């Protein structure tokens, strides 16, 4: 199946009261594992590259071809969206030219007026090519590609103004953060989420989906969150499974060639698939009929 933009998928999610997962890829194993989870559950999926991951993997064009070719080689039949996660202005423009199906322009660290104007420009460029656009209002806590956010709550009026640019989905700060959540984290602000969802029909995006308790994820989805980003959770699952393989000294088994990278990476890859499938269930993503 050819890759698609996110419009129909996420609009249906918002209307249907469920969410679709957005999972970051970091290499071939991540790509295959996430796509396998989507195919096994028969659910649509968004795969995304951060600017840092794309640089590590060899550039945006290579990442796009990797996903396209993997979808083809694995015989994936569910809808797949290829997305830029937390792109700055130049990265968003490059991914539009390369042919990503969806881009996020993250201008939250800019003065609001500049964020607004650049979002308008990205929307114009992207929509001319049938590409979806995500924007962000209100800082997401933690650090993403050098952009540090304090986890503030999105301003409702600013959210309405940014949404009026014609973005296809809007990332909102509701107390969420990137990375591992600290012990003193106060949880999501459902009051602010309700204020936002009451005045914005556009699908809302929850970044920092790793580490948020299941009950809070489910509640946020029921209130209008239509896209949930997951990255750290997959990295932790991969690391845990890989660590166990090495601690069990399976890599030292010469007779079984346990040092073979295909065997060394297999437990971690399976852990990514298992975690992805679990999160798909949390989000309530329905199977493709």
């Amino acid at each position: 199946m050819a890759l698609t933009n996110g419009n129909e998928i996420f609009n249906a999610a918002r209307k249907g009261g469920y969410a679709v997962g957005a999972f970051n890829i970091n290499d071939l194993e991540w790509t295959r594992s996430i796509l396998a989870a989507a195919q096994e559950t028969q659910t649509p999926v968004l795969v995304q590259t951060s600017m840092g991951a794309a640089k590590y993997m060899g550039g945006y064009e290579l990442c796009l071809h990797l996903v396209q070719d993997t979808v083809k080689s694995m015989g994936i039949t569910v809808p797949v969206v290829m997305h830029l996660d937390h792109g700055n202005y130049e990265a968003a423009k490059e991914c539009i030219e390369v042919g990503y199906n969806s881009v996020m322009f993250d201008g939250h660290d800019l003065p609001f007026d500049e964020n607004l104007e650049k979002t308008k420009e990205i929307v114009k460029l992207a929509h001319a090519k049938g590409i979806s656009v995500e924007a962000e209002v209100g800082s997401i806590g933690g650090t993403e590609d050098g952009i540090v956010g304090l986890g503030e709550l999105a301003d409702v009026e600013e959210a309405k103004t940014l949404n009026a640019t014609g973005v296809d989905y809007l990332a909102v700060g509701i107390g969420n953060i990137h990375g591992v959540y600290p012990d003193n984290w106060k949880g999501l602000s459902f009051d602010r989420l309700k204020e936002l969802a009451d005045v914005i029909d556009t699908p809302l995006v929850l970044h920092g989906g790793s580490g948020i308790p299941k009950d809070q994820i489910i509640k946020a989805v029921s209130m209008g969150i239509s896209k949930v980003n997951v990255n750290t959770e997959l990295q932790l699952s991969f690391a845990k499974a890989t660590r166990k393989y090495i601690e069990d000294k399976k890599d030292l088994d010469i007779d079984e060639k346990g040092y073979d990278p295909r065997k060394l990476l297999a437990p971690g890859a399976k852990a990514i698939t298992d975690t992805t499938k679990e999160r798909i269930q949390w989000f309530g993503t329905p199977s493709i009929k």
Side-chain angles (χ1 to χ4, degrees):
M1 173 177 284
L3 304 184
T4 183
N5 68 29
N7 294 358
E8 184 176 342
I9 292 169
F10 291 100
N11 284 331
R14 179 68 195 267
K15 292 176 183 177
Y18 60 87
V20 173
F23 302 94
N24 288 64
I25 59 173
N26 295 281
D27 58 23
L28 176 61
E29 277 70 33
W30 248 261
T31 305
R32 288 181 57 85
S33 299
I34 293 166
L35 291 175
Q39 186 67 21
E40 289 176 28
T41 57
Q42 282 293 288
T43 55
V45 68
L46 183 148
V47 293
Q48 56 190 16
T49 56
S50 66
M51 293 190 297
K55 181 179 180 180
Y56 167 77
M57 294 168 67
Y60 299 115
E61 187 171 13
L62 188 152
C63 290
L64 175 61
H65 289 308
L66 171 64
V67 173
Q68 288 175 327
D69 292 346
T70 303
V71 165
K72 181 179 179 180
S73 69
M74 291 180 69
I76 302 299
T77 59
V78 298
V80 178
V81 183
M82 180 65 180
H83 180 73
L84 169 67
D85 186 31
H86 287 285
N88 60 24
Y89 181 67
E90 294 303 325
K93 289 200 299 182
E94 182 175 350
C95 286
I96 290 169
E97 288 302 312
V98 165
Y100 273 47
N101 310 105
S102 181
V103 297
M104 177 186 186
F105 167 57
D106 182 357
H108 84 264
D109 59 326
L110 303 173
F112 181 73
D113 287 345
E114 185 178 355
N115 183 10
L116 182 63
E117 289 307 309
K118 287 189 172 179
T119 298
K120 289 179 181 178
E121 293 178 38
I122 294 299
V123 167
K124 182 178 180 180
L125 291 171
H127 284 184
K129 295 189 174 186
I131 296 169
S132 304
V133 177
E134 176 181 345
E136 180 175 322
V137 60
S139 174
I140 309 300
T143 302
E144 185 82 11
D145 279 338
I147 300 175
V148 180
L150 301 177
E152 64 196 44
L153 302 182
D155 180 273
V156 176
E157 291 304 315
E158 288 187 352
K160 289 169 61 178
T161 301
L162 197 61
N163 184 62
T165 62
V167 294
D168 301 290
Y169 18 92
L170 185 65
V172 292
I174 53 172
N176 42 319
I177 69 171
H178 291 119
V180 178
Y181 281 77
D183 292 337
N184 63 350
W185 180 59
K186 296 180 180 179
L188 298 177
S189 172
F190 293 107
D191 289 342
R192 182 52 51 90
L193 176 56
K194 184 178 186 308
E195 291 180 89
L196 292 162
D198 282 348
V199 296
I200 296 173
D201 292 331
T202 301
L204 301 177
V205 183
L206 179 65
H207 283 250
S210 300
I212 299 176
K214 180 179 179 180
D215 62 327
Q216 292 195 37
I217 290 282
I218 292 174
K219 183 174 181 179
V221 169
S222 73
M223 295 176 63
I225 292 294
S226 308
K227 172 176 178 280
V228 183
N229 284 27
V230 180
N231 183 22
T232 302
E233 203 83 64
L234 301 186
Q235 294 179 347
L236 292 172
S237 294
F238 179 87
K240 181 179 179 181
T242 304
R243 184 186 309 111
K244 186 177 188 308
Y245 182 89
I246 293 174
E247 288 177 346
D248 290 345
K249 299 184 178 180
K250 293 183 178 180
D251 60 312
L252 301 179
D253 189 332
I254 303 300
D255 294 334
E256 295 296 327
K257 295 185 178 181
Y259 51 82
D260 186 325
R262 289 168 292 183
K263 293 185 176 181
L264 178 64
L265 297 174
K270 182 179 184 302
I272 292 171
T273 297
D274 290 344
T275 301
T276 301
K277 288 166 65 176
E278 180 183 59
R279 292 304 179 272
I280 289 171
Q281 188 272 326
W282 284 19
F283 305 153
T285 316
S287 298
I288 303 297
K289 299 294 189 293

